[in-house]
Structure formats: structure tokens, C-alpha cells
Amino acid sequence: MAIKRQVWKEKFGDWYREIIDTAKIIDYRYPIKGCGVWLPYGFKLREHVLSVIRGFLDGAGHNEMLFPTLIPEDLIAKESTHIKSFEEEAYWITHGGKNELSVKLALRPTSETAITPMVKLWVRSHADLPLKIYQIGSIFRYETKATRPLIRVREVTTFKEAHTFHVSHEEARAQVLAANDIYAKIFYELCVPYVVSERPSWDRFAGALSTFAFDTIFPDGRCLQIGTSHDLGQNFSKVFDLTFEDLDGKHDFVWQTSYGISERAIAAVIAIHGDDRGLVIPPKIAPIQVIVVPILYKGFEEQINSECQHVEKTLSQEGVKVEIDDRSKVTPGAKFYEWESKGVPLRIEIGPRDVEQGKITLARRDTGEKIPCKRGSLSLVGKTLTEIEDNLRNRAWKVMENNISTTGDLTEAKRMLNKEGGIVEVPWCGQAACGQQIEGEVDARVLGLPVGVSEAVSGICPCCGKKGDRRIRVARTY
Amino acid sequence: MAIKRQVWKEKFGDWYREIIDTAKIIDYRYPIKGCGVWLPYGFKLREHVLSVIRGFLDGAGHNEMLFPTLIPEDLIAKESTHIKSFEEEAYWITHGGKNELSVKLALRPTSETAITPMVKLWVRSHADLPLKIYQIGSIFRYETKATRPLIRVREVTTFKEAHTFHVSHEEARAQVLAANDIYAKIFYELCVPYVVSERPSWDRFAGALSTFAFDTIFPDGRCLQIGTSHDLGQNFSKVFDLTFEDLDGKHDFVWQTSYGISERAIAAVIAIHGDDRGLVIPPKIAPIQVIVVPILYKGFEEQINSECQHVEKTLSQEGVKVEIDDRSKVTPGAKFYEWESKGVPLRIEIGPRDVEQGKITLARRDTGEKIPCKRGSLSLVGKTLTEIEDNLRNRAWKVMENNISTTGDLTEAKRMLNKEGGIVEVPWCGQAACGQQIEGEVDARVLGLPVGVSEAVSGICPCCGKKGDRRIRVARTY
């Protein structure tokens, strides 16, 4: 890595781009801006992250499906705030071959308007509800701003969107909270810290009654939205006439929710755990958890290789994702450097002295610590992987929590955001006008009201001077 | 199922559409013709088929990647036969939001022109070769003909395309044969019989030197192409200037191949094994391999339910995909009907008599046979699943082989194709003009030269009367 951690604040963007390139995650040199190619190593990381996401959604009774990529303009136009929000951001197909199409087709920017009319075909009565489905696929936005790997792209190749359908608003709202719990579990596994905020009224998803968001803080002090969940009320069911018959034979519109996580979750893993030497991947999602590097010396080759194979076989049988790097033309030093930059959590070195002493040496990626391990005590490997995971999670949470402060002084808030970034919590009266004035004065974005924070809060709204019982989070965002 | 097997020939299309609907595979009532929604059960079937495909490709050293969905027109236009072939079939994006794009973007119809320029960035020398990659994703064709579920659609949501890069033509050709071996293994697992043919010169993939294809025969006598592999020579590497440095320091263009399998593989599974009662899914790819149905009688409920749970637990632990259908408001008969139509290979019935006698009853989906099984002999389940798989494979191969005939008389060939369908092999001199004349006279399509058939063949070409040493396959195709 050419870019060092001590200059992250200023150079974070360069470091981030370099590591995605060096570690062979995605290649963005494709001739369309904001469209990249997932390289084999990055693809495996993506698969492991998706497997975590699928596991929790399946476990909570969601069924995976796959909807078409294309949505006719007239469907999107049915929900008026929806078309306003996406009309100028969508890619539009006007021609099939040389024929002009009678209705333009959008590459889906999100799928509410594709899914709701299909669910109308499947739902008759309360017995068909709740219905909980999700899909994983590409969505598209015609970004005119500068693009940024995995964060602001034109083809988001990895978008998990869940959609649920309910008999009552109460049940739908409970589902949004359940979605937040699922997301908390997912980010726990990814070792990514977060705050949950209820987005302010002027920053909700197009068509939603309320929007919750998970945000994390990047090393440059800016916040990244890494997951959202929406109470859609009956907005979509009304325009698509999606009704159900209740227990009493009466008909009502279905209550809906949707919640999404994109490849930004992977961006967060990369940005938050990485260091001067490159990626640091949490063990549960690492394409390779343990890399075995033989340190060959003349006369010991056979013994060392056979010991490497013994270690590889033993760990494989225990379900550890382990590989031996036995390339003969690459020095051990170059191998260390490469696997460190790719973020493999644990390296095992086996040299002549190790063989003589009947031991191996474990090297932790997160701390650099070297741990001698007896030949027969390979269970230490699993234990160390767990320690690495815990350490990554704990240290990331500490860093984030140290970057959240509170002040009622907007000049001070702006100074803090300029200097340290992070999140500042400001007392607020609850009026949109004051919230937007705060955004303007601190030159940042309102993330919204803290969710899941139990302490009672009161303070004076810095805009209108009224006493308020809440505070809002503000931050510079991606 | 309303449509019966005895009228398949005539009604096969109706039967096929009905079963995809009844078994909840895909819902094609989406408002864009030829675009469907994978339903949860169909999605699981698709995942299992993809898992077979991924297993063999990964095992043979291919790396999975993911390339962008969009390809700029100027890239596609570089290979002249390619643009000719796809220009009128592609969906074209002309606008991002309200801005007209300076270069039109196609929704990929296949990815050679997206992949080759990227590989140029990755390959410097012979040491970087061979390179074997694949991706699984959607491709798009603006079909103007009638669409047909999983067979002729506008969004092919399930297209596996592999691309390989080599130092020599010899190595590339060997890779095409290796691809054919991989495909043979995949179709073995899917229990789908096939013939392999080398497509004639006038029916190759756009840009290929030679094309091999796997075809199977549907119950209506028509052939479906279910996999292809192409020797691309240096056609794409030349137009994209993809070169490598060989051992002697000289530069040459890279030799390429590509090979694809789509959701037609799933269409074949559905069409070939299905019967009057619906789907019959080979055990290895079945979303549910064993369905346990309790036959409840008063006074026996607890015993029967506990026995069902015992069976479910025991089989799960052995890795069998098993579920209990314990819906209280559905009769056992209705459950039998539903799971039969969904093709679950094995049903286990547990009723009061079974509990009394310490046994359970296995019911095979493929033969309808009922097999008593002792409570402690659940290993019979695994054995029976294997027998079902073998039976499905063997009987499908027999049916296909019975539908291949040989004749040098084109009137007779036409009569056979009209009456029975299937494949007819006709002696051929090797000239394209005669081949195309044969197509016209029998009103069918030339599949090509038999591949992997060892017997020597000679005969008189029915068009020019010359003695030939080969024969070509003709068939009515989808």
C-alpha cells in the first residue's frame, strides 16, 4: 500500500480506491463510468456477505424470488412521488432492436412498482398474509455526480431488497422494527458498527410514511448509509389496487414495508477494518480465513511441505477455509505482503525451526501478533479466528462511539464536523423548518432521530429557542 | 393437471405452460411479454441447478466473476458479425434520466464484447494464461416471436457464460472439448439426455470458428438446444487487440472460447421428466426431496406427529432435504396431489396402522410404487432416492434414443419428422449448399454433425448424389 493510515483523513478516498484495486475486489476500468467487474476474490467476499444476509432473512421466514430487471414507465408513474424521485435518475430503454417501444422501459432503480402489481395476483385474503419476500440483483441509477467504488455507482450489482405485505399498519410497523433487528444481526456478523436513525420527513424514501436508516462512520469522518427500512403504509397498495379480504369479509388495502441493503455493506467492511497494509476481513466473511506459507530451507523441503499439507487437511476438515501458498517463484516475504493486503485474517508460517520444534507460528492480521502453536493444538486456530472477529468488532465500535458528540451550539457543531467529522447530536424542537435550518448552518445532513436510545433527552432548539424533548443527528455524508 | 400425457404431442405446449404455473415455478403475468417472476419454489429449483453448474465449473478451475449488464454500442460494433447478429435483437438504452446518451448502451445479449477488453487489462504474458472465468446473470433479447416459458424469453434471468483465454489454438480447441465434458457431467446430474452436434457453418455463434451444441428431444418431438460451446479463434482478440507475450518474447493474439448454459436446462428437466400429474424433479436438484404427510386419526395424533418429527429429524441429520406438511386444514389427499404436482421425488406417509406396526410407507413419485419401510431402516430413503434418480435418467435416455433414426430418403425423413418428431440422421456430402437444401426439403433445421459417435458412416448425399463419409442430424427445433 502506498497510502498510509496517518493521512487517512485527507487521503482516505485514494487509500480506498487503491485497496479495492490492490486486493482485487472490483475493476472499475470498464468503459461505462460507475460500472465495474467483480474479480474472483471480490466475488467470493461478496458471496460470503450475501450468505450472511440470506441466512438471516431465510431464518426470519422470507422467501427469495427474482423479479424482472425492466419496469414499464406507466407502472413507475402510478406512484407520483416515486416517479418524481426516479424519473431523472433512471436509465430508459426506448428501442428493441430498431423498433421504438410504445412504452419506455426503465432499468429498475428499486422494485416496489414491479412487485406490488404481481403480489396483487397472489393475495386474496388475510390467509395469504403476511407475505415476506426478497430478491438480490442489480439496480441502476444514472448518476451524474462523481462515482465512487461500491458507494455511488451506476449499476449497483448487489442490492438485496425485501418486501413485506400485512393485514394491518400495526403489523407492518412491527415488521419494520423486525427488519431493523435483522440488520443489526447482519452488521454484527460483518463487524460493522452503526447507528439507527429515523430519517426526517424531508428525507424519506419516495412513497414511504417513515424511513429508518443504518449509518456508519468512515475513517474520513463522513457517514455512509448502509441499510434502510421503510413503512410504506398503503401508498403502493392504493395505486396498484392491492387489497385483501379480512376475517369479517371486508376488503382493505394491504400494508407494505420494504428494506434494502446494498454492496455498501461491503464498502463498509473494507473501509472500516482496513489499515496501512490493506484489507482486514472479518473471519466469517473472509474468502480465505487461513493462509499457510511454507518457509522452505534446503534439506527441510519435504518435511515442511508435508507439515503444511497436514495443517491444511486438518483445518479443512474442521470447516476452516484454508489454502497453502506453495508458489515456488515467490518469496515468503512477498507472500506475506500479498495476503496481508488481501486481508486474510490469519497466516500460518511453517519453517525449519517450526518443524524441528514440532510447532507452527500463527500471525494475526488485525494485530500483527505472532503466536506459537503446538503441532497438536490446531484448535487454537479456531479460537484465534474468534478473537480476531471480536477484536475487529470491538475496536470498530469504539472508534465509532468516540466520533459521536452532542452540542446545542451550531458553530461548535460545524467546527466539530469540519475537524473530526463523525456524528453530532443537536437538540431539536421537532419542526422541519428548524431541522433544515440546522442542516444549512452546520453544512451537513440530518440523519434523523436516534432510534433505540433509551436515555431521556431535553434541550433548547438552537433555531427557534423552544425547549425540545429530542435531538437529531447531523453528519457529513456520502 | 388438466392436460393428460396421452395427448402430449398435440397439447405439449399447454401442458408445459400449465405445469410451470401449477408447480409455482415462474409467474409470467408480468406486464412485459417474456419477462417472468421466479416464485420461491422455482427459485430453489434454479438455485440447485446452478449449484450443480457452479460445482463442475469451479472444480475444473473456472473462477466466478460478475461483469456489467450494459455494453456500449461501440464495443459490440467492433466485431462485425457480432453486431449484425445482435443489433436487431438487443434492447437499447438511449437516455439516462432526461439526457440523451452520447453512446447507446445495449442490455447484454451475451458478454464477449464486454469481457474481452477487460481481459486485455489483465493479461500480459503466457504466465497469465490460460484464464478461465464465468458469470451467471441475466441476458436480454428483444424477441419478436411468440415467447415460451424458460425457452424463448426477453430476459433470460439465468445465463451461465464461461469465457476462456489461451496461448494456442490447440489449447483453446481442447478447452472446448473439456467444456463439452463438463456439460455432459452437468446434464448427467440433471438426468437430461442429449446429443452433441457440431453446428453447420451457416449456424455458428456470431464470431465463432466452430460451435458445438447439446440438444435434447422434448415430448412433442421437437429439439431444444440446451448448451453450446464455441471456438472463437482470435476473432475477438484481434478486434480488441488482446495479445500476450509468449515464452520467446514474441507477441500473438490470445485464443478464446466461450460456452453457455441457460435456464433452458431447467425447461428440459421440467419437460422431460414431467407426467400427467405434474413435475417430477430428480432428487439431486429437488427443493424438497422427501415430504412427510401425517395421516391423522383420532386418538393417534400425538403418536403420528411425534413419529413424523422423528423421521424429519433423522433424515435432516443425514442431509436429506425433508419437510413435514402438517397443515391442519388440508386433507392428506390434497397434500398428495399438491406435492406430486410439484415433483417431490419421495413421499412418506405415516398413519395409525404404520405407527402400530412400527413402519412408515414410502411413495415414489416416478413410479407411484409404495414401499413399506421399518421404523429403524430409514437408510432405505437414501437408497430409494438414488433409485429414483437412476430410473429418471435411464428412462429419459431410452425415450430419446428411440427418437433418433437414420434415412437417406428425404421424403421419408420429412414423414418421420412430421409423425414422430425426434432427430433424423441423413447422409451428407459435406457441402453447405446440400445441407441447406436438406433443411428446406425436410422442413427442419440441421443440428449438425454428430460428435462423440465412433461408428464409421458412409452413404449417398440425397441432394448431390455424391458418396459422403458423414451424416447430419436434422430436427424440428424450438
Side-chain angles (χ1 to χ4, degrees), chain A residues 30 69-70 90 92 94 97 155, chain B residues 30 69-70 90 92 94-95 97 155:
Chain A
Y30 191 73
T69 305
L70 308 179
W92 292 102
T94 54
E155 177 172 6
Chain B
Y30 191 72
T69 304
L70 308 178
W92 293 103
T94 54
H95 287 74
E155 177 173 7

Side-chain angles (χ1 to χ4, degrees), chain A residues 144-159:
Chain A
T144 48
K145 296 186 208 165
T147 58
R148 193 179 292 270
L150 294 171
I151 293 176
R152 185 175 300 283
V153 293
R154 286 180 165 181
E155 177 172 6
V156 180
T157 57
T158 315
F159 186 58

Side-chain angles (χ1 to χ4, degrees), chain A residues 21 24 26-33 35-37 39, chain B residues 117-118 120-122 124:
Chain A
D21 195 39
K24 299 197 186 305
I26 297 199
D27 191 330
Y28 279 102
R29 289 174 292 173
Y30 191 73
I32 302 175
K33 190 179 88 157
C35 290
V37 178
L39 301 171
Chain B
M118 291 308 292
K120 180 178 161 59
L121 302 171
W122 306 329
R124 292 273 166 277

